[in-house]
């Protein structure tokens, strides 16, 4: 039998005290303990506190890009004069959301990045004003299961959203286009974003592409060539029969491939194609590690967005932020300058200096993200010195077989790789991966201890070198703690 709930004011005071005590004792940033206690004392507290926010709740979820996208949206909200409660330290399960709400007593609005598997529960309790869906890539198979399992969870989440919610989604992801189109929620407003710059075409899908087949076949009929609707209709006739016989697995055709299975896609059988883009990047100029410039079309007209963040993946994050800003009717004249000022979050293209040396940290936790990091590094001119940190703890996923789907071989072309140090719990697995990729064992420095691996990587890069660090999630936290202890960066929960 469940005990009666504690009154909300009492539960809030106790939870806040727990968070402060955690920080004072040096046990962490207090980013989860408060929410855990709040949930125990009053399970309905998250829903009650969310309902008090006059301007509602914004949720951001996806396999890759949650933290950066949330930071970009936060920049636009701050510049627009909103007081915002947010889980800036990245604690993105329900307990992290509840902890962030403890500080929302003077906020107009809340902005939360949400773990993919937690989106259903968090959206049910917060009744979001906007849900931003970034992408779905294969990640942490031992936790999430196959991608279709997570996709079905998101599909059910879409079905339960109220008519007051706007769904902002990446239409370049066929899986997201499918669940949004099949949500049977015509009353929900939808804002699609994507990339329309064919110069960025990578021409073929990587071998690790996930959602590269048509999920619509057998359910939808072809759309006309001039269709601008995001809602394909039910299939019929020969298409339906043929799809049933083959199980519906029809490879999509791509006019443009960007990241993983993202791009401008269509089905050669049923005729379904990428939906009309409400917010589109028509021109993306990548400027190495220094950032990029993006020409964007919006319902309010064309915009130019400058970013201090590198890589095509961050162009998608910026598009999601612009689309979210449109959904909540922020002044577009304010949004662009706000995004231009935003720096990288810890570990997401974060760049620090030690004397004449530089360290660039690129979180790499799944094939799609790691491959995009490789493209970002290869876009620079210098010789590459790498420190790869591979852990297999709960937050990383116990299964590290995903490293065999990363295109590390690209680093071995043209002698770009100057040095390679591997560390973390599964350092030897990473060393084996590079050995089979064609890198000689005598060129691989295996140092499992992360602090020692950092020193070895810096030594290999040289006094004026540039060290790229690619850690998994828990390795990133440990690496960040080392940098904090050495006085090089603030603690991650101090990130704002």
């Amino acid at each position: 039998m469940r005990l009666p709930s504690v009154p909300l004011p009492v539960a809030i005071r106790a939870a806040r005290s727990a968070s402060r005590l955690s920080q004072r004792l040096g046990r962490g940033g207090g980013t989860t303990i408060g929410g855990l206690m709040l949930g125990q004392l009053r399970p309905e507290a998250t829903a009650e506190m969310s309902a008090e926010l006059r301007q509602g709740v914004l949720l951001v979820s996806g396999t890759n890009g949650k933290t950066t996208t949330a930071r970009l949206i936060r920049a636009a909200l701050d510049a627009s004069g909103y007081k915002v409660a947010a889980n800036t330290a990245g604690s993105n399960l329900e307990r992290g959301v509840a902890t962030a709400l403890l500080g929302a007593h003077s906020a107009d609005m809340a902005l939360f990045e949400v773990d993919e598997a937690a989106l259903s529960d968090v959206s049910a309790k917060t009744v979001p004003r906007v849900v931003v869906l970034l992408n779905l890539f294969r990640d942490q198979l031992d936790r999430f299961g196959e991608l279709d399992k997570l996709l079905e969870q998101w599909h059910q989440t879409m079905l339960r959203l109220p008519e007051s919610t706007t769904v902002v989604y990446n239409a370049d992801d066929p899986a997201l286009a499918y669940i949004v189109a099949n949500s049977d929620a015509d009353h929900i407003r939808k804002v699609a974003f994507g990339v329309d710059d064919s110069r960025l075409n990578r021409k073929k899908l990587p071998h690790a592409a996930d959602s590269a087949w048509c999920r619509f076949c057998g359910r939808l009929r072809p759309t006309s060539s001039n269709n601008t609707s995001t809602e394909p209709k039910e299939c019929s006739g020969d298409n339906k029969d043929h799809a049933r016989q083959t199980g519906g697995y029809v490879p999509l055709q791509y006019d443009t491939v960007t990241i993983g299975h993202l791009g401008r896609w269509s089905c050669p059988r049923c005729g379904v194609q990428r939906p009309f883009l409400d917010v589109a990047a028509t021109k993306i100029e990548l400027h190495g590690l220094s950032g990029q410039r993006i020409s964007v079309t919006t319902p309010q007209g064309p915009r130019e967005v400058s970013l201090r963040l590198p890589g095509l993946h961050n162009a998608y994050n910026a598009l999601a932020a612009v689309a979210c800003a449109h959904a909540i009717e922020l002044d577009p004249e304010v949004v662009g300058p706000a995004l231009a000022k935003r720096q990288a979050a810890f570990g997401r293209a974060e760049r620090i200096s030690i004397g004449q040396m530089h360290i660039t940290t690129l979180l790499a936790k799944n094939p799609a993200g790691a491959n995009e990091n490789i493209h970002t590094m290869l876009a620079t001119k210098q010789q590459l010195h790498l420190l790869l940190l591979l852990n297999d703890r709960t937050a990383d996923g116990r299964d590290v077989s995903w490293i065999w789907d990363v295109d590390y071989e690209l680093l071995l072309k043209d002698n770009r790789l100057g040095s390679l140090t591997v560390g973390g719990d599964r350092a030897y697995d990473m060393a084996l991966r590079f050995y089979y990729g064609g890198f000689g064992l005598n060129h691989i420095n295996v140092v499992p201890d992360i602090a020692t691996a950092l020193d070895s990587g810096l030594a290999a890069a040289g006094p004026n070198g540039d060290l790229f660090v690619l850690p998994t999630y828990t390795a990133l936290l440990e690496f960040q703690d080392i940098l904090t202890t050495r006085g090089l960066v603030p603690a991650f929960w101090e990130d704002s």
Side-chain angles (χ1 to χ4, degrees), residues 178 214-220 235 239-240 243-244 247-250 267 269-272:
Y178 173 77
C214 183
R215 299 175 186 273
F216 293 92
C217 272
R219 301 188 183 188
L220 309 172
C235 183
N239 284 334
K240 187 172 183 179
R244 186 183 297 114
Y249 292 101
V250 181
C267 176
R269 179 185 298 159
C270 71
V272 170

Side-chain angles (χ1 to χ4, degrees), residues 289 351 356-360 382-386 461-462 464-468:
L289 294 177
R351 189 168 172 84
Q356 298 300 312
M357 305 183 67
H358 300 284
I359 299 176
T360 303
Q382 71 264 42
Q383 193 173 40
L384 302 175
H385 298 277
L386 265 59
N464 299 309
D466 199 334
L467 180 67
F468 290 90

Side-chain angles (χ1 to χ4, degrees), residues 177-226:
Y178 173 77
I179 63 172
V180 171
N182 285 279
S183 64
D184 296 324
D186 294 334
H187 58 283
I188 293 178
R189 180 187 176 203
K190 299 155 190 173
V191 179
F193 67 89
V195 172
D196 252 347
D197 187 349
S198 59
R199 298 173 308 132
L200 301 174
N201 187 11
R202 292 177 179 167
K203 297 182 180 179
K204 65 178 181 178
L205 291 167
H207 70 277
D210 299 313
S211 297
W213 60 91
C214 183
R215 299 175 186 273
F216 293 92
C217 272
R219 301 188 183 188
L220 309 172
R221 63 175 168 78
T223 56
S224 62
S225 59
N226 61 352

Side-chain angles (χ1 to χ4, degrees), residues 357 359 385 387 419 421 445 451-465 467 486:
M357 305 183 67
I359 299 176
H385 298 277
L387 170 58
S419 69
T421 305
N445 190 18
T452 307
L454 171 59
D455 292 332
S456 296
L458 289 172
N464 299 309
L467 180 67
R486 297 183 182 184

Side-chain angles (χ1 to χ4, degrees), residues 303-433:
R303 303 289 169 190
E304 295 294 322
V305 177
S306 294
L307 285 185
R308 301 170 71 174
L309 309 175
L312 182 55
H313 56 297
N314 279 316
Y316 273 106
N317 296 336
L319 286 172
V322 171
C324 181
H326 163 67
I328 58 177
E329 300 181 342
L330 297 185
D331 183 353
E333 298 297 333
V334 173
V335 173
L339 301 190
K341 296 177 182 177
R342 205 50 155 155
Q343 296 182 342
F346 83 96
R348 282 79 170 179
E350 183 183 28
R351 189 168 172 84
I352 65 170
S353 299
I354 308 175
Q356 298 300 312
M357 305 183 67
H358 300 284
I359 299 176
T360 303
T361 311
L362 301 162
L363 176 65
K365 62 189 183 72
N366 53 47
N371 280 336
E372 196 54 33
N373 288 338
I374 290 171
H375 284 289
T376 299
M377 291 187 296
L378 290 174
T380 65
K381 302 298 183 183
Q382 71 264 42
Q383 193 173 40
L384 302 175
H385 298 277
L386 265 59
L387 170 58
L388 280 74
L389 304 175
L390 179 65
N391 280 356
D392 63 348
R393 302 172 194 176
T394 301
D396 305 296
R398 298 291 186 182
D399 183 356
V400 299
S401 62
W402 61 269
I403 64 175
W404 295 91
D405 287 330
V406 179
D407 296 326
Y408 291 119
E409 285 77 7
L410 293 174
L411 295 167
L412 306 181
K413 294 182 178 179
D414 302 322
N415 295 317
R416 290 294 305 277
L417 190 53
S419 69
L420 174 64
T421 305
V422 295
D425 300 338
R426 302 293 289 270
Y428 287 96
D429 294 78
M430 187 62 81
L432 184 67
R433 169 67 183 89

Side-chain angles (χ1 to χ4, degrees), residues 220-270:
L220 309 172
R221 63 175 168 78
T223 56
S224 62
S225 59
N226 61 352
N227 175 57
T228 59
S229 171
T230 61
E231 310 296 333
K233 304 302 181 181
E234 187 173 354
C235 183
S236 61
D238 294 340
N239 284 334
K240 187 172 183 179
D241 293 338
H242 187 53
R244 186 183 297 114
Q245 294 170 8
T246 61
Y249 292 101
V250 181
L252 293 170
Q253 289 181 345
Y254 282 80
D255 294 330
T256 304
V257 176
T258 54
I259 299 173
H261 58 264
L262 306 186
R264 184 168 185 165
W265 51 270
S266 63
C267 176
R269 179 185 298 159
C270 71

Side-chain angles (χ1 to χ4, degrees), residues 20-316:
R20 288 194 294 268
L21 182 61
S22 175
Q23 290 190 15
R24 289 173 183 172
L25 294 177
R27 301 297 298 271
T31 59
T32 60
I33 185 65
L36 284 170
M37 178 172 286
L38 188 66
Q40 290 294 319
L41 296 176
R42 190 171 181 85
E44 61 269 40
T46 297
E48 292 172 333
M49 297 169 73
S50 297
E52 294 177 359
L53 295 162
R54 296 183 300 277
Q55 298 294 331
V57 174
L58 313 180
L59 303 182
V60 179
S61 193
T63 307
N64 294 332
K66 296 184 290 291
T67 299
T68 298
T69 301
R71 282 174 61 88
L72 292 171
I73 296 172
R74 174 68 182 275
L77 292 173
D78 289 344
S80 300
Y82 288 99
K83 295 181 180 179
V84 183
N87 53 343
T88 53
S91 182
N92 57 23
L93 299 176
E94 185 186 340
R95 55 182 179 255
V97 169
T99 301
L101 284 168
L102 292 172
H105 54 279
S106 62
D108 305 309
M109 180 183 295
L111 167 65
F112 302 126
E113 65 163 283
V114 182
D115 178 86
E116 305 94 286
L119 180 62
S120 178
D121 289 340
V122 172
S123 64
K125 293 184 177 181
T126 60
V127 191
R129 177 178 173 183
V130 176
V131 176
V132 180
L133 305 179
L134 298 173
N135 48 63
L136 279 178
F137 293 112
R138 180 162 34 102
D139 188 45
Q140 298 187 48
L141 294 181
D142 54 319
R143 176 174 170 234
F144 294 138
E146 290 297 333
L147 193 60
D148 280 357
K149 179 181 177 181
L150 191 56
L151 187 67
E152 180 57 29
Q153 290 180 7
W154 275 25
H155 187 197
Q156 294 303 315
T157 300
M158 295 300 100
L159 294 174
R160 292 192 293 267
L161 290 176
E163 63 181 10
S164 58
T165 299
T166 297
V167 176
V168 174
Y169 73 103
N170 184 354
D172 284 3
D173 189 328
L176 296 190
Y178 173 77
I179 63 172
V180 171
N182 285 279
S183 64
D184 296 324
D186 294 334
H187 58 283
I188 293 178
R189 180 187 176 203
K190 299 155 190 173
V191 179
F193 67 89
V195 172
D196 252 347
D197 187 349
S198 59
R199 298 173 308 132
L200 301 174
N201 187 11
R202 292 177 179 167
K203 297 182 180 179
K204 65 178 181 178
L205 291 167
H207 70 277
D210 299 313
S211 297
W213 60 91
C214 183
R215 299 175 186 273
F216 293 92
C217 272
R219 301 188 183 188
L220 309 172
R221 63 175 168 78
T223 56
S224 62
S225 59
N226 61 352
N227 175 57
T228 59
S229 171
T230 61
E231 310 296 333
K233 304 302 181 181
E234 187 173 354
C235 183
S236 61
D238 294 340
N239 284 334
K240 187 172 183 179
D241 293 338
H242 187 53
R244 186 183 297 114
Q245 294 170 8
T246 61
Y249 292 101
V250 181
L252 293 170
Q253 289 181 345
Y254 282 80
D255 294 330
T256 304
V257 176
T258 54
I259 299 173
H261 58 264
L262 306 186
R264 184 168 185 165
W265 51 270
S266 63
C267 176
R269 179 185 298 159
C270 71
V272 170
Q273 57 188 300
R274 184 188 67 177
F276 170 78
L277 301 180
D278 300 288
V279 175
T282 56
K283 184 178 181 181
I284 300 175
E285 299 176 359
L286 300 173
H287 302 147
L289 294 177
S290 64
Q292 57 189 290
R293 187 170 180 82
I294 311 170
S295 299
V296 184
T297 60
T298 74
Q300 292 84 20
R303 303 289 169 190
E304 295 294 322
V305 177
S306 294
L307 285 185
R308 301 170 71 174
L309 309 175
L312 182 55
H313 56 297
N314 279 316
Y316 273 106

